[in-house]
Amino acid sequence: MLKNRIIPCLDVKNGRVVKGINFVDLKDAGDPVEQAKIYSDGGADEICFLDITASNENRDTIYDVVDKTSKKCFVPLTVGGGVRNVEDINKLLNCGADKVSINTAAVQNVKVVEDSSRKFGSQCIVVAIDAKRKNNGWEVFTHGGRNPTGINALEFASKMEKCGAGELLITSMDKDGTQSGYDIELMQKISSSVNIPVIASGGVGTLDHLVDGIKSGASAVLAASIFHYGTYSVKEAKQYLSSKDIPVRI
Amino acid sequence: MNVTIVDYNSGNISSVINSFKEVAKNKVNIKVTSDLEKIKSSDKVVLPGQGSFKSCVDALNNINGLVDTLNEFATNNKKPLLGICVGLQMFAEVGYEEIETKGLGWISGRVSKIDNQDGKFKLPHIGWNQINIVKDSQIFKGVKNNSHMYFVHSYELVPNDKSVVSATTDYSSNIVCSVEKENIFGTQFHPEKSDKTGLKIIDNFINL
């Protein structure tokens, strides 16, 4: 039976983990490689890096991080943030990323999704959609949630599936950072309207939120702060899900 | 000992390289090449594969003499070869992804789209699934039945002769996920991404 995935996400800036805190076994809280290794040893089903490096001069720092992580972690590694074109995707894959997530570039130019999925296979192309409630639906935002696009998130999700995305990473901007749980209605609507797996993101504060995320129809749940700040370990999260009869890999 | 990972522009093979180097440490020499002479002189060959069946077969054919060299290695000289994902799928006689495409023909059968029961099951089949070991394969030495492996695929190998099947996995149907035919081994899942159990399978192959 296929298991539901738990994906811890690390925000990386200039090659360092943002706001790293010191876990007991950690020598350097800011080192993304060490953090990722702790997650994979703890049973993370995948690792996700979100590169939030703002300046172009420091963009290359992520390649080094990916290269080092992929030599130590033998679970799938997804990398996103600032991916502009097919060449960026190629570089990340060559450094050892298994999947690349595309956000703003997918909205600006669908050919990036079409060309990269044809060239590298759908299995490594994740389209990340940042969605915010508007009237009776959700609107797609780009540039880390700063720019509204006027595009309907449900329609965009279906379009990305047709363009060759292998998975969709859906983040609710209303919920992100609130620790009040995923936008369940958004996850339900998108999961039921596409045939590719959906990863739920944005708003996790408790382990019950992870349970709700899976029940909404998402194939995987992504969380950053609950793992990052040590509120729960990946292992605790998996044991909790299992106790709620949600199939996970233990 | 030399183990060669065939680099034929089949997409992203860095994870395969990293995992083999991790397992091999300094005991075994891991080469990454499409050089025919180097492949011929190897003790073992790994055939990775990402993307579509057609794109991988085309990429193999684009390197002059590569298919003949692999045939000689695996079917004449009977040296150990491991196919991963589309690498395994290409063992079949024919694949139906994009367009009907001839495979290597080492295993009688075809590669067709997973029946997802009219959308009841999502495709690709992505994530960790358990394997049912149905044959005592050498690459599963020390691997417990029902171990979790990482999958990502939308197509499956359907062999005519079920005796080559060494493991299956349950999704929308019972899917063949590992084969062994004499010296030819293949996994539909990604041992290089399947954590410690996956590395164990790689170790078993290296130590054959």
Side-chain angles (χ1 to χ4, degrees):
Chain A
M1 178 187 218
L2 185 67
K3 301 300 158 66
N4 298 288
R5 287 169 283 156
I6 300 204
I7 309 175
C9 179
L10 287 164
D11 288 351
V12 180
K13 190 176 183 180
N14 304 325
R16 303 281 293 166
V17 174
V18 179
K19 291 184 239 160
I21 60 152
N22 274 298
F23 291 113
V24 208
D25 337 336
L26 217 54
K27 285 190 217 90
D28 175 4
D31 180 8
V33 184
E34 244 197 290
Q35 289 270 12
K37 179 78 177 132
I38 296 224
Y39 285 154
S40 77
D41 286 348
D45 296 309
E46 295 185 27
I47 308 281
C48 181
F49 284 146
L50 180 63
D51 183 23
I52 54 169
T53 304
S55 64
N56 280 330
E57 308 88 81
N58 287 333
R59 281 234 155 266
D60 285 352
T61 52
I62 192 69
Y63 298 116
D64 185 48
V65 168
V66 171
D67 178 60
K68 288 191 174 123
T69 307
S70 68
K71 290 188 167 80
K72 287 199 166 165
C73 295
F74 298 96
V75 299
L77 176 63
T78 303
V79 185
V83 176
R84 292 154 302 182
N85 48 44
V86 174
E87 184 46 36
D88 287 348
I89 297 167
N90 191 28
K91 264 162 87 179
L92 285 168
L93 293 175
N94 281 334
C95 288
D98 298 290
K99 308 181 200 181
V100 173
S101 83
I102 314 170
N103 180 314
T104 301
V107 177
Q108 290 175 335
N109 180 8
V110 290
K111 262 182 75 66
V112 175
V113 179
E114 288 169 345
D115 292 350
S116 58
S117 62
R118 203 175 304 123
K119 191 166 166 126
F120 309 112
S122 290
Q123 83 289 338
C124 61
I125 303 301
V126 180
V127 171
I129 303 176
D130 291 344
K132 194 173 173 155
R133 279 178 186 263
K134 191 188 179 188
N135 304 327
N136 291 323
W138 290 266
E139 180 181 6
V140 176
F141 276 64
T142 57
H143 297 88
R146 288 189 298 277
N147 299 353
T149 63
I151 299 169
N152 177 291
L154 262 71
E155 288 167 16
F156 186 66
S158 295
K159 186 175 166 189
M160 289 301 104
E161 177 182 21
K162 286 186 196 85
C163 289
E167 281 176 288
L168 298 175
L169 168 57
I170 308 295
T171 304
S172 157
M173 288 177 48
D174 304 291
K175 290 291 198 166
D176 202 25
T178 65
Q179 306 228 325
S180 63
Y182 296 112
D183 184 336
I184 294 301
E185 198 189 344
L186 171 66
M187 302 309 160
Q188 279 170 341
K189 288 249 164 78
I190 295 195
S191 299
S192 59
S193 66
V194 295
N195 256 322
I196 52 178
V198 165
I199 304 163
S201 159
V204 176
T206 69
L207 298 181
D208 279 315
H209 294 153
L210 299 176
V211 174
D212 296 341
I214 294 296
K215 286 186 175 164
S216 76
S219 305
V221 281
L222 181 138
S225 45
I226 57 159
F227 299 128
H228 186 54
Y229 294 118
T231 322
Y232 302 102
S233 68
V234 174
K235 197 174 165 194
E236 283 168 338
K238 288 186 132 183
Q239 281 166 343
Y240 188 76
L241 262 68
S242 179
S243 77
K244 296 288 172 186
D245 294 326
I246 291 186
V248 288
R249 172 181 69 113
I250 287 185
Chain B
M1 181 168 56
N2 290 318
V3 177
T4 296
I5 298 168
V6 184
D7 181 7
Y8 61 103
N9 305 315
S10 72
N12 176 26
I13 61 169
S14 36
S15 287
V16 174
I17 299 168
N18 286 338
S19 61
F20 272 79
K21 287 194 170 160
E22 169 77 10
V23 172
K25 300 279 186 226
N26 299 318
K27 301 171 292 187
V28 178
N29 197 4
I30 305 291
K31 285 193 242 170
V32 183
T33 182
S34 61
D35 184 292
L36 304 183
E37 291 310 314
K38 285 188 181 141
I39 293 172
K40 280 178 195 164
S41 65
S42 300
D43 299 292
K44 284 165 191 153
V45 158
V46 182
L47 185 63
Q50 277 201 359
S52 73
F53 187 95
K54 182 182 184 299
S55 69
C56 285
V57 169
D58 286 349
L60 276 187
N61 287 326
N62 272 340
I63 297 173
N64 209 355
L66 181 56
V67 170
D68 289 341
T69 301
L70 291 174
N71 270 327
E72 188 186 312
F73 186 92
T75 53
N76 300 351
N77 298 336
K78 301 225 175 280
K79 289 205 252 181
L81 181 141
L82 175 68
I84 299 174
C85 198
V86 185
L88 154 125
Q89 294 181 359
M90 288 192 296
F91 294 172
E93 292 161 306
V94 61
Y96 292 97
E97 188 167 359
E98 293 177 50
I99 187 170
E100 187 175 317
T101 308
K102 206 169 154 254
L104 291 163
W106 296 342
I107 285 181
S108 151
R110 65 183 195 281
V111 171
S112 46
K113 193 157 194 176
I114 296 170
D115 175 8
N116 72 337
Q117 302 180 12
D118 290 326
K120 240 179 91 190
F121 289 81
K122 305 245 175 200
L123 284 184
H125 169 223
I126 297 186
W128 296 81
N129 206 335
Q130 284 168 297
I131 59 164
N132 323 303
I133 300 175
V134 296
K135 190 164 87 173
D136 206 12
S137 176
Q138 296 176 75
I139 61 168
F140 292 143
K141 208 172 103 186
V143 174
K144 288 197 188 104
N145 193 22
N146 297 320
S147 288
H148 287 94
M149 298 293 168
Y150 186 78
F151 287 83
V152 47
H153 64 129
S154 298
Y155 285 75
E156 60 173 329
L157 170 68
V158 184
N160 293 329
D161 174 9
K162 302 295 174 212
S163 74
V164 299
V165 179
S166 52
T168 62
T169 193
D170 288 319
Y171 191 50
S172 49
S173 61
N174 191 247
I175 293 169
V176 170
C177 71
S178 181
V179 295
E180 177 180 336
K181 187 186 173 190
E182 298 177 75
N183 55 312
I184 299 169
F185 302 83
T187 63
Q188 177 60 65
F189 54 83
H190 290 267
E192 77 277 14
K193 287 282 118 187
S194 296
D195 216 354
K196 292 182 187 73
T197 330
L199 297 184
K200 176 69 186 154
I201 290 176
I202 291 171
D203 191 45
N204 286 339
F205 177 73
I206 287 178
N207 287 316
L208 278 178

